[in-house]
Amino acid sequence: ATYGGSAYFDGSSYLTSTGGFPSGQGTAFTLECWINIPSLSSYVTITRDPNASSFDFGVQTTGAVQLYLGGGATLICASSAGVILKNQWYHIALTRTVGNLYTIYVNGVSVATATNSTNFTSSTFNIGVTAIAGNPALGYVGGFRYCKAAVYTTAFTPPTSPFTTTS
């Protein structure tokens, strides 16, 4: 499903991005990647604020894709159960528009929406696992991209080649 490979996260490894999230309400962004999770026996973090004070985007044991504030303290947006199954590749995307509309897409189809004015102001985020005790990503993540724009606003065909620069 990924076009050029992926990273396997074993529960102890992670990558850190210092790009940070845009600050302020109504600032658009998109997070997207390909995932393949071999087990749903515990919550799987895809990306998270390393201090667990801001955002947490991952997959519940039920197969629901969810976005939390405060490391799981406040649910912002969530799909229904069974959207993600183990041992299968999925393209997932999370967007926020300037109108504070969050949308979670799985394989290009909207599976959850919510309006929330939460600010995500972290200067870094981790892919794979938090730097503190938390829920690790146990599985494959490929083609991770973060953009300071709402790249998707309607259903789309997931990318099958390397990402290009967005405006």
Side-chain angles (χ1 to χ4, degrees), residues 18-41:
T18 57
F21 277 96
S23 61
Q25 295 179 11
T27 306
F29 68 82
T30 300
L31 287 170
E32 66 181 309
C33 63
W34 287 89
I35 62 168
N36 184 326
I37 302 168
S39 174
L40 291 171
S41 61

Side-chain angles (χ1 to χ4, degrees), residues 42-100:
S42 64
Y43 178 82
V44 176
T45 299
I46 296 165
T47 185
R48 186 178 193 188
D49 176 333
N51 298 311
S53 61
S54 185
F55 68 94
D56 183 325
F57 185 54
V59 180
Q60 282 289 356
T61 58
T62 62
V65 182
Q66 299 179 326
L67 173 66
Y68 287 95
L69 172 65
T74 304
L75 180 64
I76 293 180
C77 190
S79 73
S80 60
V83 171
I84 302 295
L85 303 174
K86 65 182 184 175
N87 294 316
Q88 294 185 33
W89 282 103
Y90 295 94
H91 179 268
I92 59 168
L94 168 68
T95 64
R96 180 176 77 183
T97 67
V98 293
N100 294 315

Side-chain angles (χ1 to χ4, degrees), residues 57 65-67 77-79 93-94 102-106 109-112:
F57 185 54
V65 182
Q66 299 179 326
L67 173 66
C77 190
S79 73
L94 168 68
Y102 288 87
T103 305
I104 297 172
Y105 295 93
V106 175
V109 176
S110 172
V111 296

Side-chain angles (χ1 to χ4, degrees), residues 1 3 30 32-34 90-93 105-110 145 151-164:
Y3 45 79
T30 300
E32 66 181 309
C33 63
W34 287 89
Y90 295 94
H91 179 268
I92 59 168
Y105 295 93
V106 175
N107 292 336
V109 176
S110 172
R145 175 170 78 158
V151 176
Y152 309 112
T153 55
T154 61
F156 62 94
T157 301
T160 56
S161 59
F163 292 118
T164 57

Side-chain angles (χ1 to χ4, degrees), residues 19-25 27-29 96 119-122 146-149:
F21 277 96
S23 61
Q25 295 179 11
T27 306
F29 68 82
R96 180 176 77 183
N119 292 331
F120 293 125
T121 58
S122 177
Y146 166 68
C147 299
K148 294 182 178 182

